[in-house]
mmCIF file of all heavy atoms in Angstrom:
data_model
loop_
_atom_site.group_PDB
_atom_site.id
_atom_site.type_symbol
_atom_site.label_atom_id
_atom_site.label_comp_id
_atom_site.label_asym_id
_atom_site.label_seq_id
_atom_site.Cartn_x
_atom_site.Cartn_y
_atom_site.Cartn_z
ATOM 1 N N PRO A 445 -2.751 3.882 73.051
ATOM 2 C CA PRO A 445 -2.966 2.778 71.949
ATOM 3 C C PRO A 445 -4.173 1.908 72.359
ATOM 4 O O PRO A 445 -4.895 1.604 71.532
ATOM 5 C CB PRO A 445 -1.596 2.292 71.946
ATOM 6 C CG PRO A 445 -0.621 3.196 72.235
ATOM 7 C CD PRO A 445 -1.322 3.949 73.409
ATOM 8 N N ARG A 446 -4.219 1.506 73.653
ATOM 9 C CA ARG A 446 -5.326 0.667 74.053
ATOM 10 C C ARG A 446 -6.712 1.215 74.029
ATOM 11 O O ARG A 446 -7.697 0.490 73.901
ATOM 12 C CB ARG A 446 -5.079 0.065 75.515
ATOM 13 C CG ARG A 446 -5.229 1.260 76.608
ATOM 14 C CD ARG A 446 -4.948 0.665 77.954
ATOM 15 N NE ARG A 446 -5.094 1.744 79.018
ATOM 16 C CZ ARG A 446 -4.106 2.533 79.289
ATOM 17 N NH1 ARG A 446 -2.815 2.288 78.732
ATOM 18 N NH2 ARG A 446 -4.118 3.494 80.278
ATOM 19 N N ASP A 447 -6.758 2.525 73.925
ATOM 20 C CA ASP A 447 -8.011 3.253 73.847
ATOM 21 C C ASP A 447 -8.413 3.750 72.351
ATOM 22 O O ASP A 447 -9.409 4.386 72.321
ATOM 23 C CB ASP A 447 -7.983 4.500 74.726
ATOM 24 C CG ASP A 447 -7.821 4.151 76.257
ATOM 25 O OD1 ASP A 447 -8.278 3.202 76.743
ATOM 26 O OD2 ASP A 447 -7.200 5.066 76.934
ATOM 27 N N ARG A 448 -7.637 3.375 71.464
ATOM 28 C CA ARG A 448 -7.869 3.787 70.197
ATOM 29 C C ARG A 448 -8.872 2.836 69.261
ATOM 30 O O ARG A 448 -8.624 1.667 69.488
ATOM 31 C CB ARG A 448 -6.560 3.975 69.441
ATOM 32 C CG ARG A 448 -5.633 5.006 70.129
ATOM 33 C CD ARG A 448 -4.380 5.332 69.195
ATOM 34 N NE ARG A 448 -3.592 6.331 69.777
ATOM 35 C CZ ARG A 448 -2.761 7.187 69.112
ATOM 36 N NH1 ARG A 448 -2.559 6.987 67.793
ATOM 37 N NH2 ARG A 448 -2.009 8.073 70.001
ATOM 38 N N HIS A 449 -9.400 3.429 68.372
ATOM 39 C CA HIS A 449 -10.308 2.738 67.433
ATOM 40 C C HIS A 449 -9.857 3.398 65.996
ATOM 41 O O HIS A 449 -10.573 4.170 65.648
ATOM 42 C CB HIS A 449 -11.738 2.808 67.637
ATOM 43 C CG HIS A 449 -12.053 2.186 68.952
ATOM 44 N ND1 HIS A 449 -12.111 0.817 69.214
ATOM 45 C CD2 HIS A 449 -12.639 2.866 70.230
ATOM 46 C CE1 HIS A 449 -12.442 0.629 70.582
ATOM 47 N NE2 HIS A 449 -12.776 1.851 71.127
ATOM 48 N N ASP A 450 -8.588 3.121 65.630
ATOM 49 C CA ASP A 450 -8.032 3.792 64.545
ATOM 50 C C ASP A 450 -8.260 3.136 63.197
ATOM 51 O O ASP A 450 -7.726 2.138 62.960
ATOM 52 C CB ASP A 450 -6.453 3.983 64.837
ATOM 53 C CG ASP A 450 -5.770 4.850 63.878
ATOM 54 O OD1 ASP A 450 -6.433 5.226 62.785
ATOM 55 O OD2 ASP A 450 -4.615 5.116 64.061
ATOM 56 N N PRO A 451 -9.116 3.815 62.394
ATOM 57 C CA PRO A 451 -9.423 3.045 61.124
ATOM 58 C C PRO A 451 -8.186 3.076 60.098
ATOM 59 O O PRO A 451 -8.243 2.267 59.215
ATOM 60 C CB PRO A 451 -10.526 3.935 60.527
ATOM 61 C CG PRO A 451 -10.281 5.471 61.158
ATOM 62 C CD PRO A 451 -9.667 5.145 62.418
ATOM 63 N N MET A 452 -7.170 3.842 60.451
ATOM 64 C CA MET A 452 -6.001 3.771 59.544
ATOM 65 C C MET A 452 -5.447 2.454 59.650
ATOM 66 O O MET A 452 -4.708 1.984 58.718
ATOM 67 C CB MET A 452 -5.155 4.854 59.936
ATOM 68 C CG MET A 452 -3.971 4.933 58.871
ATOM 69 S SD MET A 452 -4.462 5.491 57.161
ATOM 70 C CE MET A 452 -4.773 7.304 57.505
ATOM 71 N N ILE A 453 -5.453 1.633 60.753
ATOM 72 C CA ILE A 453 -4.783 0.349 60.924
ATOM 73 C C ILE A 453 -5.367 -0.626 60.078
ATOM 74 O O ILE A 453 -4.700 -1.343 59.275
ATOM 75 C CB ILE A 453 -4.835 -0.174 62.400
ATOM 76 C CG1 ILE A 453 -4.229 0.950 63.318
ATOM 77 C CG2 ILE A 453 -4.155 -1.392 62.583
ATOM 78 C CD1 ILE A 453 -2.741 1.343 62.958
ATOM 79 N N PRO A 454 -6.680 -0.754 59.993
ATOM 80 C CA PRO A 454 -7.294 -1.745 59.104
ATOM 81 C C PRO A 454 -7.131 -1.285 57.676
ATOM 82 O O PRO A 454 -7.013 -2.014 56.649
ATOM 83 C CB PRO A 454 -8.930 -1.686 59.335
ATOM 84 C CG PRO A 454 -8.823 -1.311 60.886
ATOM 85 C CD PRO A 454 -7.832 -0.385 60.927
ATOM 86 N N ALA A 455 -7.120 0.024 57.385
ATOM 87 C CA ALA A 455 -6.907 0.553 56.126
ATOM 88 C C ALA A 455 -5.463 0.119 55.592
ATOM 89 O O ALA A 455 -5.303 -0.399 54.481
ATOM 90 C CB ALA A 455 -7.065 2.097 55.970
ATOM 91 N N ALA A 456 -4.518 0.349 56.495
ATOM 92 C CA ALA A 456 -3.087 -0.334 56.127
ATOM 93 C C ALA A 456 -3.078 -1.723 55.949
ATOM 94 O O ALA A 456 -2.445 -2.257 55.116
ATOM 95 C CB ALA A 456 -2.123 0.188 57.293
ATOM 96 N N GLY A 457 -3.900 -2.463 56.721
ATOM 97 C CA GLY A 457 -4.042 -3.877 56.482
ATOM 98 C C GLY A 457 -4.564 -4.352 55.215
ATOM 99 O O GLY A 457 -4.015 -5.248 54.568
ATOM 100 N N ALA A 458 -5.534 -3.534 54.682
ATOM 101 C CA ALA A 458 -6.061 -3.848 53.294
ATOM 102 C C ALA A 458 -4.971 -3.548 52.215
ATOM 103 O O ALA A 458 -4.792 -4.348 51.267
ATOM 104 C CB ALA A 458 -7.161 -2.921 53.003
ATOM 105 N N VAL A 459 -4.070 -2.579 52.454
ATOM 106 C CA VAL A 459 -3.024 -2.239 51.402
ATOM 107 C C VAL A 459 -2.055 -3.443 51.515
ATOM 108 O O VAL A 459 -1.683 -3.949 50.378
ATOM 109 C CB VAL A 459 -2.335 -0.941 51.795
ATOM 110 C CG1 VAL A 459 -1.117 -0.719 50.921
ATOM 111 C CG2 VAL A 459 -3.281 0.340 51.733
ATOM 112 N N LEU A 460 -1.701 -3.900 52.662
ATOM 113 C CA LEU A 460 -0.746 -4.839 52.715
ATOM 114 C C LEU A 460 -1.288 -6.312 52.244
ATOM 115 O O LEU A 460 -0.570 -7.166 51.636
ATOM 116 C CB LEU A 460 -0.103 -5.068 54.175
ATOM 117 C CG LEU A 460 0.672 -3.884 54.713
ATOM 118 C CD1 LEU A 460 0.931 -4.047 56.228
ATOM 119 C CD2 LEU A 460 1.900 -3.793 53.959
ATOM 120 N N ALA A 461 -2.544 -6.535 52.513
ATOM 121 C CA ALA A 461 -3.231 -7.706 52.101
ATOM 122 C C ALA A 461 -3.323 -7.841 50.701
ATOM 123 O O ALA A 461 -3.136 -8.937 50.068
ATOM 124 C CB ALA A 461 -4.670 -7.777 52.761
ATOM 125 N N ALA A 462 -3.463 -6.675 49.994
ATOM 126 C CA ALA A 462 -3.636 -6.673 48.510
ATOM 127 C C ALA A 462 -2.162 -7.238 47.949
ATOM 128 O O ALA A 462 -2.246 -8.009 47.055
ATOM 129 C CB ALA A 462 -3.827 -5.257 48.040
ATOM 130 N N ARG A 463 -1.157 -6.699 48.559
ATOM 131 C CA ARG A 463 0.116 -7.420 47.988
ATOM 132 C C ARG A 463 0.417 -8.756 48.455
ATOM 133 O O ARG A 463 0.900 -9.604 47.550
ATOM 134 C CB ARG A 463 1.170 -6.450 48.567
ATOM 135 C CG ARG A 463 2.691 -6.924 48.320
ATOM 136 C CD ARG A 463 2.809 -7.159 46.843
ATOM 137 N NE ARG A 463 2.886 -5.790 46.196
ATOM 138 C CZ ARG A 463 4.045 -5.028 45.934
ATOM 139 N NH1 ARG A 463 5.196 -5.381 46.331
ATOM 140 N NH2 ARG A 463 3.917 -3.916 45.283
ATOM 141 N N ARG A 464 0.072 -9.231 49.644
ATOM 142 C CA ARG A 464 0.208 -10.584 50.086
ATOM 143 C C ARG A 464 -0.615 -11.547 49.220
ATOM 144 O O ARG A 464 -0.074 -12.551 48.814
ATOM 145 C CB ARG A 464 -0.075 -10.791 51.483
ATOM 146 C CG ARG A 464 1.046 -10.191 52.486
ATOM 147 C CD ARG A 464 0.784 -10.728 53.804
ATOM 148 N NE ARG A 464 -0.457 -10.329 54.391
ATOM 149 C CZ ARG A 464 -0.591 -9.250 55.157
ATOM 150 N NH1 ARG A 464 0.349 -8.468 55.391
ATOM 151 N NH2 ARG A 464 -1.818 -8.953 55.690
ATOM 152 N N VAL A 465 -1.870 -11.251 48.963
ATOM 153 C CA VAL A 465 -2.744 -12.166 48.415
ATOM 154 C C VAL A 465 -2.446 -12.461 46.993
ATOM 155 O O VAL A 465 -2.544 -13.551 46.528
ATOM 156 C CB VAL A 465 -4.240 -11.698 48.479
ATOM 157 C CG1 VAL A 465 -5.160 -12.390 47.546
ATOM 158 C CG2 VAL A 465 -4.735 -11.674 49.978
ATOM 159 N N ILE A 466 -1.949 -11.411 46.184
ATOM 160 C CA ILE A 466 -1.698 -11.668 44.755
ATOM 161 C C ILE A 466 -0.515 -12.522 44.562
ATOM 162 O O ILE A 466 -0.436 -13.103 43.463
ATOM 163 C CB ILE A 466 -1.589 -10.378 44.017
ATOM 164 C CG1 ILE A 466 -0.340 -9.531 44.421
ATOM 165 C CG2 ILE A 466 -2.829 -9.473 44.051
ATOM 166 C CD1 ILE A 466 0.006 -8.384 43.711
ATOM 167 N N GLN A 467 0.235 -12.672 45.554
ATOM 168 C CA GLN A 467 1.450 -13.587 45.364
ATOM 169 C C GLN A 467 1.090 -14.975 45.060
ATOM 170 O O GLN A 467 1.861 -15.795 44.581
ATOM 171 C CB GLN A 467 2.437 -13.410 46.651
ATOM 172 C CG GLN A 467 3.067 -11.982 46.781
ATOM 173 C CD GLN A 467 3.890 -11.822 48.042
ATOM 174 O OE1 GLN A 467 3.863 -12.670 48.811
ATOM 175 N NE2 GLN A 467 4.495 -10.682 48.093
ATOM 176 N N ALA A 468 -0.025 -15.349 45.556
ATOM 177 C CA ALA A 468 -0.551 -16.766 45.379
ATOM 178 C C ALA A 468 -1.210 -16.905 44.054
ATOM 179 O O ALA A 468 -1.812 -18.015 43.790
ATOM 180 C CB ALA A 468 -1.300 -17.240 46.611
ATOM 181 N N HIS A 469 -1.444 -15.880 43.310
ATOM 182 C CA HIS A 469 -2.314 -15.941 42.127
ATOM 183 C C HIS A 469 -1.400 -15.379 40.918
ATOM 184 O O HIS A 469 -1.521 -14.109 40.731
ATOM 185 C CB HIS A 469 -3.511 -15.094 42.321
ATOM 186 C CG HIS A 469 -4.444 -15.606 43.376
ATOM 187 N ND1 HIS A 469 -5.448 -16.550 43.181
ATOM 188 C CD2 HIS A 469 -4.458 -15.274 44.742
ATOM 189 C CE1 HIS A 469 -5.960 -16.741 44.362
ATOM 190 N NE2 HIS A 469 -5.435 -16.012 45.316
ATOM 191 N N PRO A 470 -0.596 -16.059 40.302
ATOM 192 C CA PRO A 470 0.186 -15.638 39.106
ATOM 193 C C PRO A 470 -0.601 -14.784 38.148
ATOM 194 O O PRO A 470 -1.746 -15.296 37.687
ATOM 195 C CB PRO A 470 0.702 -16.944 38.616
ATOM 196 C CG PRO A 470 0.668 -17.916 39.573
ATOM 197 C CD PRO A 470 -0.499 -17.573 40.437
ATOM 198 N N GLY A 471 -0.087 -13.771 37.747
ATOM 199 C CA GLY A 471 -0.787 -12.876 36.664
ATOM 200 C C GLY A 471 -1.722 -11.826 37.265
ATOM 201 O O GLY A 471 -1.995 -10.894 36.652
ATOM 202 N N ALA A 472 -2.016 -12.021 38.572
ATOM 203 C CA ALA A 472 -3.034 -11.154 39.271
ATOM 204 C C ALA A 472 -2.308 -9.859 39.656
ATOM 205 O O ALA A 472 -1.211 -9.781 40.035
ATOM 206 C CB ALA A 472 -3.715 -11.888 40.462
ATOM 207 N N VAL A 473 -3.091 -8.810 39.642
ATOM 208 C CA VAL A 473 -2.591 -7.513 40.156
ATOM 209 C C VAL A 473 -3.635 -6.865 41.124
ATOM 210 O O VAL A 473 -4.865 -6.884 40.816
ATOM 211 C CB VAL A 473 -2.169 -6.386 39.177
ATOM 212 C CG1 VAL A 473 -0.901 -6.895 38.400
ATOM 213 C CG2 VAL A 473 -3.320 -6.164 38.110
ATOM 214 N N ALA A 474 -3.223 -6.217 42.115
ATOM 215 C CA ALA A 474 -4.151 -5.612 43.119
ATOM 216 C C ALA A 474 -3.537 -4.261 43.559
ATOM 217 O O ALA A 474 -2.261 -4.399 44.066
ATOM 218 C CB ALA A 474 -4.546 -6.430 44.246
#
Side-chain angles (χ1 to χ4, degrees):
R446 65 179 179 275
D447 296 329
R448 298 187 179 206
H449 303 286
D450 185 351
M452 190 63 78
I453 304 304
V459 176
L460 295 173
R463 173 56 66 90
R464 284 196 298 267
V465 167
I466 61 173
Q467 292 175 353
H469 300 271
V473 290

